[in-house]
Amino acid sequence: MTDVTSSKSARHPHHWRHDLIELAALFTAVVVADTIAKTIAKGPEGPYLLVFSAIALVATAAFHTWWARRRSHASHAPPAGDTGGRPAVVPAARPEPTAAKRPAAAKGPAADGESGADGESEAADASGADDGSGPAAGTSLWRMRTTVADTPGSLAALCTVLAHLDVDILTLQTHPLADGTVDEFLLRAPAGLSARTLAHEVAAAGGRDTWTERADAHDLVDTPTRVLGLATRTALDAAELPLALRQLLGRCTLHSVPAVSITGRPTGEQAPVEGVLEETVMRLRDPHGGTLVVERPYLPFTPTEFARARALVELDARLGPRLPRGRDVLTLPEGNEITVRRADQRDLAAARAMHDRCSARTLGLRYHGPVGDADRYLDHLLSPRFGRTLAVQTASGRLVALGHLLWDGDETEVALMVEDDWQRRGIGSELLGRLVAMAEEAGCDSVYAVTQSSNTGMVAAMRALHLPLDYQIEEGTLVITARLASERRPAGRTRPHEESRPAER
């Protein structure tokens, strides 16, 4: 059944009751006229007067009927230009909300503990109408977290203050606590609004423990989408868990404390299965043994953040050891082929065999300590909890080089070791370039290498990165720091190998 109505059926039907009433009125008039006629019939012109009266009465009734039908048809006739098809539907006008009805959220999604369902479209609108890559001209993005009383109207008072400051709420998350509610906002504010003014006005509206920080376009991604992306990365690579936790929790420091030290002694660090939350410190059980300690001194963790972090760790524990399957086959200048791939603790035996083939000088330059302790570090270095490892193997499958990218709190270390017979062939430079690319992808600002001033190969490899370098020498130990930021190596730089192609799987 459709909504289409033809012009014929749309006409208002003519009711027979109206005609019956008019006919009764006509007979009544005739009776009245007959009475009058009988009175005047005795006169000389009585018959003529009676006939003329009847004719006038019939004519009046006919004219009345015609006029009534004409008005009825005109009121139900279709408008000019109507073809008889379906009429256009015009939606009812929706009044534009004012600041008093929806304060400070004219362009932000509704919040019910998470970002709004239309977060992507709102994020696109918030990113600016000019180029879609940042806040609109004359505005800036802020992240703000404040605690309000868990009473009706507390959030409304806060939003009213933001509206008076001409601040738009782009996203809102709520974190319930025992003594209140932590509200986390992503705001678009006028460029002239300072953090001090914003915090002062929020405090006047009932907010406490207010924290503000500049935001960028990456923060416009809604929280569920961001968490799903981090979970996907963690599922593909076990070494992504520390990075995922950092990106989930913001600027924080993460330490992986093993259950057993390098010397084989128990450390006593073993968090319970459910984890521990102590305001600015979070302790989670590491699936590989030990404890993951996350610290954020400038901002306490909320129970919601703790639950998300624990879910990522549980996902990592269920999936077990895993690495990306990608391999690159490179051809050295002399024609030999080598394969570069990721490595983990499953390569421990091959790494120890490479140690046995290395000279004492090579091991000393790498580990800066007694050569006999070199094997003790391998299990730690190959663990995905402490970073990423690249391995180089020959066509026969023998491991000949290792490169490590190690997470050291807020800093990142790079370390290389190449077997003696394969040195001076560009393998170390190739590994270092790939490790630095990984650090850039992870968002690191810099990387550093700890070596000795006599290790000319490592110094040359760091210089070949064409990045700003800082040198620090202490008691014969050389620390070289390369600042990454957003700079890239020159496009015309040639690689040390003549050919590179992906390995067949």
Side-chain angles (χ1 to χ4, degrees):
M1 184 174 182
T2 65
D3 295 334
V4 179
T5 304
S6 65
S7 59
K8 182 178 180 179
S9 60
R11 296 177 180 176
H12 186 72
H14 183 71
H15 296 291
W16 58 270
R17 295 183 181 87
H18 295 170
D19 293 339
L20 181 61
I21 294 174
E22 292 177 358
L23 184 60
L26 178 62
F27 278 106
T28 302
V30 170
V31 171
V32 174
D34 181 67
T35 303
I36 297 174
K38 288 180 178 179
T39 303
I40 65 175
K42 298 178 179 181
E45 297 179 355
Y48 300 103
L49 183 59
L50 183 60
V51 171
F52 287 135
S53 298
I55 295 174
L57 186 60
V58 171
T60 301
F63 176 78
H64 174 73
T65 301
W66 171 80
W67 180 256
R69 291 186 178 181
R70 184 174 182 273
R71 291 189 59 186
S72 177
H73 292 172
S75 63
H76 294 282
D82 186 22
T83 59
R86 179 169 181 163
V89 178
V90 180
R94 297 173 61 182
E96 187 69 21
T98 62
K101 292 182 179 179
R102 193 176 60 174
K107 297 178 182 177
D112 55 353
E114 289 292 347
S115 300
D118 55 349
E120 294 184 1
S121 61
E122 296 294 347
D125 176 68
S127 62
D130 296 332
D131 56 1
S133 60
T139 62
S140 57
L141 296 177
W142 289 90
R143 290 178 58 203
M144 184 185 75
R145 178 178 290 189
T146 188
T147 304
V148 298
D150 191 10
T151 57
S154 58
L155 180 59
L158 189 61
C159 292
T160 302
V161 168
L162 295 177
H164 291 162
L165 295 175
D166 198 20
V167 176
D168 289 339
I169 300 176
L170 303 180
T171 62
L172 167 63
Q173 298 181 60
T174 59
H175 308 276
L177 299 178
D179 57 345
T181 300
V182 176
D183 293 331
E184 186 172 357
F185 298 88
L186 177 62
L187 306 174
R188 182 167 60 192
L193 183 64
S194 65
R196 178 176 298 180
T197 302
L198 180 61
H200 180 269
E201 295 296 332
V202 168
R208 56 184 173 84
D209 301 330
T210 302
W211 166 84
T212 57
E213 183 182 53
R214 288 281 188 176
D216 56 23
H218 297 88
D219 294 307
L220 293 172
V221 180
D222 63 296
T223 302
T225 301
R226 182 158 54 93
V227 173
L228 286 175
L230 296 177
T232 301
R233 290 173 49 185
T234 303
L236 296 176
D237 188 354
E240 288 286 337
L241 179 61
L243 297 177
L245 290 174
R246 286 182 178 179
Q247 294 186 18
L248 176 67
L249 303 174
R251 291 184 294 108
C252 62
T253 303
L254 190 146
H255 299 281
S256 182
V257 182
V260 180
S261 66
I262 296 177
T263 59
R265 297 179 180 178
T267 61
E269 288 287 344
Q270 186 69 30
V273 178
E274 64 277 7
V276 177
L277 176 60
E278 300 172 346
E279 293 188 354
T280 60
V281 179
M282 188 185 302
R283 301 179 186 276
L284 303 168
R285 173 171 288 189
D286 191 341
H288 297 270
T291 303
L292 292 173
V293 181
V294 188
E295 298 178 350
R296 192 174 63 185
Y298 68 94
L299 187 64
F301 294 111
T302 65
T304 303
E305 291 177 317
F306 178 66
R308 291 171 181 167
R310 189 172 60 182
L312 276 179
V313 174
E314 291 177 356
L315 174 65
D316 178 80
R318 289 181 177 274
L319 295 177
R322 60 206 178 278
L323 285 176
R325 299 180 180 179
R327 296 172 176 236
D328 289 334
V329 176
L330 309 176
T331 302
L332 299 178
E334 66 271 16
N336 294 327
E337 289 188 348
I338 59 174
T339 301
V340 182
R341 61 175 177 83
R342 290 282 301 278
D344 61 6
Q345 291 166 312
R346 290 171 290 185
D347 296 289
L348 183 59
R352 286 176 176 170
M354 184 187 72
H355 273 188
D356 295 338
R357 296 190 298 269
C358 291
S359 64
R361 181 180 182 277
T362 297
L363 294 175
L365 290 175
R366 168 61 186 89
Y367 296 107
H368 320 292
V371 177
D373 295 336
D375 287 350
R376 296 181 180 180
Y377 300 105
L378 280 177
D379 188 66
H380 170 89
L381 294 173
L382 293 173
S383 171
R385 284 295 166 271
F386 301 99
R388 300 175 181 174
T389 300
L390 291 177
V392 176
Q393 64 183 32
T394 63
S396 62
R398 190 175 68 178
L399 206 65
V400 296
L402 288 173
H404 304 283
L405 184 68
L406 304 173
W407 318 126
D408 183 14
D410 295 331
E411 300 178 332
T412 306
E413 180 184 359
V414 290
L416 301 172
M417 188 176 69
V418 182
E419 189 177 326
D420 295 65
D421 294 340
W422 292 84
Q423 295 178 4
R424 308 296 177 181
R425 301 188 186 187
I427 295 178
S429 297
E430 174 66 25
L431 286 178
L432 183 60
R434 290 172 179 262
L435 293 174
V436 169
M438 288 182 179
E440 291 177 339
E441 181 185 0
C444 300
D445 296 329
S446 63
V447 295
Y448 72 91
V450 180
T451 184
Q452 298 178 14
S453 56
S454 59
N455 191 351
T456 57
M458 187 65 181
V459 175
M462 292 292 289
R463 288 178 176 175
L465 293 173
H466 297 284
L467 294 172
L469 301 179
D470 296 330
Y471 300 88
Q472 294 181 356
I473 301 178
E474 296 181 1
E475 299 180 357
T477 300
L478 175 63
V479 179
I480 308 176
T481 303
R483 297 191 302 272
L484 305 181
S486 59
E487 300 185 24
R488 294 290 184 268
R489 291 181 290 273
R493 174 175 178 248
T494 57
R495 302 179 72 88
H497 309 295
E498 296 180 352
E499 180 183 357
S500 174
R501 66 178 187 275
E504 296 180 0
R505 298 179 183 177

